[in-house]
PDB file of all heavy atoms in Angstrom:
ATOM      1  N   LYS A 141      24.809  38.628 -45.944  1.00 95.00           N
ATOM      2  CA  LYS A 141      23.701  39.598 -45.661  1.00 95.00           C
ATOM      3  C   LYS A 141      22.599  39.211 -46.479  1.00 95.00           C
ATOM      4  O   LYS A 141      22.669  38.432 -47.541  1.00 95.00           O
ATOM      5  CB  LYS A 141      24.333  40.929 -45.922  1.00 95.00           C
ATOM      6  CG  LYS A 141      24.846  41.228 -47.301  1.00 95.00           C
ATOM      7  CD  LYS A 141      25.655  42.444 -47.349  1.00 95.00           C
ATOM      8  CE  LYS A 141      27.133  42.358 -46.970  1.00 95.00           C
ATOM      9  NZ  LYS A 141      27.987  41.453 -47.853  1.00 95.00           N
ATOM     10  N   TRP A 142      21.398  39.811 -46.294  1.00 97.00           N
ATOM     11  CA  TRP A 142      20.159  39.634 -47.105  1.00 97.00           C
ATOM     12  C   TRP A 142      19.931  40.967 -47.731  1.00 97.00           C
ATOM     13  O   TRP A 142      19.822  42.014 -47.122  1.00 97.00           O
ATOM     14  CB  TRP A 142      18.987  39.250 -46.264  1.00 97.00           C
ATOM     15  CG  TRP A 142      19.056  37.855 -45.706  1.00 97.00           C
ATOM     16  CD1 TRP A 142      19.536  37.466 -44.467  1.00 97.00           C
ATOM     17  CD2 TRP A 142      18.584  36.697 -46.413  1.00 97.00           C
ATOM     18  NE1 TRP A 142      19.414  36.029 -44.421  1.00 97.00           N
ATOM     19  CE2 TRP A 142      18.786  35.610 -45.536  1.00 97.00           C
ATOM     20  CE3 TRP A 142      18.015  36.549 -47.751  1.00 97.00           C
ATOM     21  CZ2 TRP A 142      18.555  34.306 -45.886  1.00 97.00           C
ATOM     22  CZ3 TRP A 142      17.746  35.185 -48.192  1.00 97.00           C
ATOM     23  CH2 TRP A 142      18.010  34.124 -47.165  1.00 97.00           C
ATOM     24  N   VAL A 154      18.693  46.146 -46.685  1.00 97.00           N
ATOM     25  CA  VAL A 154      19.616  45.079 -46.404  1.00 97.00           C
ATOM     26  C   VAL A 154      19.472  44.734 -44.999  1.00 97.00           C
ATOM     27  O   VAL A 154      19.441  45.633 -44.065  1.00 97.00           O
ATOM     28  CB  VAL A 154      21.055  45.496 -46.634  1.00 97.00           C
ATOM     29  CG1 VAL A 154      22.145  44.531 -46.111  1.00 97.00           C
ATOM     30  CG2 VAL A 154      21.271  45.734 -48.142  1.00 97.00           C
ATOM     31  N   ASN A 155      19.284  43.437 -44.678  1.00 97.00           N
ATOM     32  CA  ASN A 155      19.176  42.933 -43.281  1.00 97.00           C
ATOM     33  C   ASN A 155      18.009  43.508 -42.573  1.00 97.00           C
ATOM     34  O   ASN A 155      18.089  43.522 -41.215  1.00 97.00           O
ATOM     35  CB  ASN A 155      20.471  43.110 -42.590  1.00 97.00           C
ATOM     36  CG  ASN A 155      21.545  42.150 -42.941  1.00 97.00           C
ATOM     37  OD1 ASN A 155      21.253  41.257 -43.701  1.00 97.00           O
ATOM     38  ND2 ASN A 155      22.750  42.213 -42.428  1.00 97.00           N
ATOM     39  N   VAL A 156      17.055  44.120 -43.154  1.00 97.00           N
ATOM     40  CA  VAL A 156      15.860  44.561 -42.453  1.00 97.00           C
ATOM     41  C   VAL A 156      14.672  44.428 -43.628  1.00 97.00           C
ATOM     42  O   VAL A 156      14.926  44.768 -44.736  1.00 97.00           O
ATOM     43  CB  VAL A 156      15.971  45.912 -41.859  1.00 97.00           C
ATOM     44  CG1 VAL A 156      16.195  47.035 -42.885  1.00 97.00           C
ATOM     45  CG2 VAL A 156      14.724  46.265 -41.019  1.00 97.00           C
ATOM     46  N   PHE A 224      17.712  39.121 -39.742  1.00 96.00           N
ATOM     47  CA  PHE A 224      17.088  40.357 -40.063  1.00 96.00           C
ATOM     48  C   PHE A 224      15.780  40.447 -39.249  1.00 96.00           C
ATOM     49  O   PHE A 224      15.220  39.400 -38.918  1.00 96.00           O
ATOM     50  CB  PHE A 224      16.817  40.534 -41.516  1.00 96.00           C
ATOM     51  CG  PHE A 224      16.001  39.347 -42.174  1.00 96.00           C
ATOM     52  CD1 PHE A 224      14.633  39.349 -42.166  1.00 96.00           C
ATOM     53  CD2 PHE A 224      16.753  38.238 -42.602  1.00 96.00           C
ATOM     54  CE1 PHE A 224      13.935  38.286 -42.789  1.00 96.00           C
ATOM     55  CE2 PHE A 224      16.087  37.164 -43.148  1.00 96.00           C
ATOM     56  CZ  PHE A 224      14.632  37.139 -43.313  1.00 96.00           C
ATOM     57  N   ASN A 225      15.348  41.704 -38.948  1.00 96.00           N
ATOM     58  CA  ASN A 225      14.062  41.884 -38.369  1.00 96.00           C
ATOM     59  C   ASN A 225      13.004  42.119 -39.454  1.00 96.00           C
ATOM     60  O   ASN A 225      13.261  42.846 -40.418  1.00 96.00           O
ATOM     61  CB  ASN A 225      14.090  43.087 -37.402  1.00 96.00           C
ATOM     62  CG  ASN A 225      14.680  42.759 -36.019  1.00 96.00           C
ATOM     63  OD1 ASN A 225      14.685  41.545 -35.628  1.00 96.00           O
ATOM     64  ND2 ASN A 225      15.148  43.699 -35.359  1.00 96.00           N
ATOM     65  N   THR A 262      27.177  43.399 -42.431  1.00 94.00           N
ATOM     66  CA  THR A 262      26.789  44.776 -42.400  1.00 94.00           C
ATOM     67  C   THR A 262      25.577  45.048 -41.403  1.00 94.00           C
ATOM     68  O   THR A 262      24.818  44.118 -41.073  1.00 94.00           O
ATOM     69  CB  THR A 262      26.364  45.354 -43.826  1.00 94.00           C
ATOM     70  OG1 THR A 262      25.928  46.618 -43.670  1.00 94.00           O
ATOM     71  CG2 THR A 262      25.258  44.502 -44.448  1.00 94.00           C
ATOM     72  N   PRO A 264      21.830  46.890 -40.653  1.00 96.00           N
ATOM     73  CA  PRO A 264      20.812  47.111 -41.578  1.00 96.00           C
ATOM     74  C   PRO A 264      20.913  48.408 -42.484  1.00 96.00           C
ATOM     75  O   PRO A 264      21.437  49.377 -41.839  1.00 96.00           O
ATOM     76  CB  PRO A 264      19.633  47.228 -40.680  1.00 96.00           C
ATOM     77  CG  PRO A 264      19.945  46.457 -39.443  1.00 96.00           C
ATOM     78  CD  PRO A 264      21.463  46.703 -39.303  1.00 96.00           C
TER      79      PRO A 264
END
Side-chain angles (χ1 to χ4, degrees):
K141 54 195 88 69
W142 285 96
V154 170
N155 286 352
V156 62
F224 53 94
N225 278 339
T262 175

